[in-house]
Amino acid sequence: MGTKSIFVSSDKPSVNEFLLEPRPAALRLGLPTFIMATVAALSVYDPGIAVTYGPYVSLVAVALSRPGRFRFDAPFMLGTLLVAFAAASSMWSKFPDASLGAARNYAVVLVMFVAARHVIQTLQQLRTVAVGYLAGCAVLVYRVWHENAKQVTALEGGRLDLAGLNVNYAGYAFVAGFAMIALLWGSKRRTQGTRLWLATAGASIVLGIILSDTRGALIGLGLMMAWLLMCLAAKTPPMRLLVGAVIVAAAAITTGAVDQASLAFENVFGRATGDWSGRLIIWPIARDFWASEDNFWFGSGAGAFQLSNYYQIGAHNFILELGTGMGIVGVLVYVAVLWTSLGKRATGADPRGKILVGCFIAASALSYLTGFWDHSPAAWIGVAVFSRIGLLDKDPAAHWSAVKPGSEKPKLSNSERKWLTGVQGNPRLLGR
């Protein structure tokens, strides 16, 4: 299967067998799946409710989803270490309450992240949680439009406002939602109805990004489109190139190597301020803060930077935010969580896996590099969903593709064999 397979229909039968009975138990959805889909929707539409109630309902989903199979894998262990280190940083922080609050925030999103990874065990569950995320995007688009109806209809300039929600959060959540559309588009045979509703969802999200006027989201959308075009042109998805570009961009922002040079492009995306909306003011302050008073290795306490600088705002870059709070140790632990969640082992052997994870990385990179996104519920739910993209390797639908001459027939599990027997009829009886 080449990289172009994400854009073309596969050679599966015209009848949608997922609607037929009997089905294997592995392909059935359950209450835990819909619980996590609801959490995914809330993480986008109302992160306040998600943070308040999300951890508790997520634990309920885990309890109802065979808790005995829970895996203490690398993302879980590293995430737990991140929370523990953030809490420990309160011992040397000038603002211990803020550090404990940051640790609590990380613990909250970690519970939702771990629960989503635990509940998602099949491709159908993966798609259902992704649909939940898109449902949250749809409601948020309506909310953006409804709360700013007069300004939108009058075509007045200026950024829109959202009660109790930062408009940049909406933009970053929207662009991650576009990666969810790519996931749904590339993980199943596309019927006319599927194409229609995904195209509608994509159009609504683009509208939401435009209304939010979040430049990081607009650029992220362009980067994702560029990534897909690169995948079309290449024999294999150029994942190393993408990751390398993100690392270079992260290093450039962290060190300040391209601060002034980047201003040449600010007018391209509109709303030019001469300092990328204050980022070129806060980034140098964060760099100096990180390098001062022996803060490099362990930081000055999680969440302390926002209370320490004159502007009382975060660093708007996840490396600088983590570095000022938890030093290089905290940065490495956080990056390790992302790496083990979205790395080669997570993408699986199916080429679609690399393409789709690449979509999420390209779309979300600037949310992390230029936004306050390191403990966002929507961000962690997004990572959880794409960390399970390796389930494409276990897709029973792959067994319906025509077997090439001379190749071995795929081995089916007992549940899959019973299901296909119910759909196609008993081959022994058919041969009579």
Side-chain angles (χ1 to χ4, degrees):
M1 182 183 295
T3 58
K4 297 183 181 181
S5 60
I6 192 172
F7 296 100
V8 297
S9 297
S10 59
D11 54 355
K12 300 181 181 68
S14 58
V15 178
N16 187 354
E17 285 86 346
F18 279 107
L19 300 178
L20 300 179
E21 292 292 345
R23 281 186 183 180
L27 294 175
R28 297 171 188 163
L29 299 174
L31 180 59
T33 307
F34 294 108
I35 289 176
M36 293 314 304
T38 302
V39 171
L42 286 173
S43 73
V44 176
Y45 167 65
D46 197 325
I49 293 179
V51 167
T52 303
Y53 301 104
Y56 302 107
V57 297
S58 296
L59 290 175
V60 171
V62 171
L64 296 176
S65 184
R66 295 171 59 190
R69 71 182 179 190
F70 187 86
R71 293 179 57 197
F72 295 89
D73 54 8
F76 171 80
M77 299 301 292
L78 289 166
T80 303
L81 179 61
L82 179 71
V83 174
F85 189 66
S89 71
S90 64
M91 293 187 293
W92 59 83
S93 174
K94 294 181 180 179
F95 304 95
D97 290 341
S99 298
L100 291 175
R104 176 188 175 277
N105 290 337
Y106 283 124
V108 165
V109 293
L110 177 67
V111 170
M112 293 186 283
F113 167 76
V114 171
R117 282 175 47 82
H118 171 77
V119 169
I120 298 173
Q121 297 293 327
T122 70
L123 187 58
Q124 288 297 89
Q125 292 175 321
L126 175 68
R127 290 172 55 84
T128 301
V129 177
V131 169
Y133 190 101
L134 287 181
C137 288
V139 177
L140 185 55
V141 170
Y142 172 79
R143 178 182 172 187
V144 172
W145 185 285
H146 178 71
E147 292 185 16
N148 300 272
K150 293 183 179 179
Q151 184 176 345
V152 172
T153 54
L155 299 178
E156 299 177 359
R159 303 195 74 187
L160 306 184
D161 294 321
L162 288 171
L165 182 63
N166 185 285
V167 71
N168 283 337
Y169 185 102
Y172 298 148
F174 282 144
V175 73
F178 215 85
M180 296 286 180
I181 291 177
L183 186 156
L184 294 169
W185 186 277
S187 62
K188 188 178 180 181
R189 186 180 65 86
R190 293 174 295 282
T191 63
Q192 184 175 356
T194 302
R195 291 189 181 96
L196 178 61
W197 86 261
L198 286 179
T200 303
S204 67
I205 286 179
V206 171
L207 175 62
I209 292 175
I210 294 173
L211 291 176
S212 72
D213 195 21
T214 303
R215 288 176 296 193
L218 287 169
I219 299 172
L221 183 60
L223 291 175
M224 178 179 152
M225 295 297 103
W227 164 253
L228 289 173
L229 291 175
M230 291 171 61
C231 290
L232 275 176
K235 292 183 178 180
T236 58
M239 182 62 77
R240 291 184 180 179
L241 177 62
L242 175 62
V243 174
V246 172
I247 292 174
V248 169
I253 292 176
T254 304
T255 60
V258 295
D259 279 6
Q260 296 305 314
S262 67
L263 290 175
F265 302 95
E266 190 181 19
N267 285 324
V268 176
F269 305 100
R271 202 162 44 84
T273 61
D275 56 15
W276 287 108
S277 298
R279 286 168 177 79
L280 295 191
I281 296 175
I282 198 65
W283 286 344
I285 296 174
R287 294 175 195 129
D288 293 340
F289 186 87
W290 187 4
S292 65
E293 300 180 4
D294 299 324
N295 290 334
F296 180 76
W297 290 105
F298 302 107
S300 61
F305 174 72
Q306 185 168 347
L307 297 177
S308 301
N309 70 81
Y310 172 80
Y311 299 97
Q312 298 285 288
I313 61 175
H316 282 72
N317 172 274
F318 86 106
I319 295 179
L320 291 175
E321 183 67 32
L322 290 162
T324 55
M326 294 184 281
I328 193 65
V329 174
V331 173
L332 292 177
V333 173
Y334 193 100
V335 171
V337 175
L338 298 179
W339 190 274
T340 54
S341 300
L342 303 174
K344 184 176 181 181
R345 188 171 182 178
T347 59
D350 193 316
R352 291 177 297 173
K354 289 184 178 180
I355 296 174
L356 297 175
V357 170
C359 284
F360 179 72
I361 293 174
S364 302
L366 285 183
S367 303
Y368 287 92
L369 295 178
T370 65
F372 200 62
W373 202 234
D374 57 291
H375 53 228
S376 157
W380 282 77
I381 289 292
V383 174
V385 169
F386 281 88
S387 73
R388 303 296 290 152
I389 205 71
L391 290 169
L392 288 170
D393 292 347
K394 301 178 181 179
D395 181 9
H399 301 318
W400 298 332
S401 299
V403 179
K404 297 180 179 180
S407 62
E408 295 183 0
K409 293 183 178 181
K411 295 182 179 180
L412 303 179
S413 66
N414 290 333
S415 59
E416 292 167 358
R417 189 177 295 107
K418 292 179 181 179
W419 183 32
L420 291 178
T421 297
V423 172
Q424 300 174 347
N426 192 315
R428 295 182 180 179
L429 296 177
L430 293 174
R432 291 182 180 179

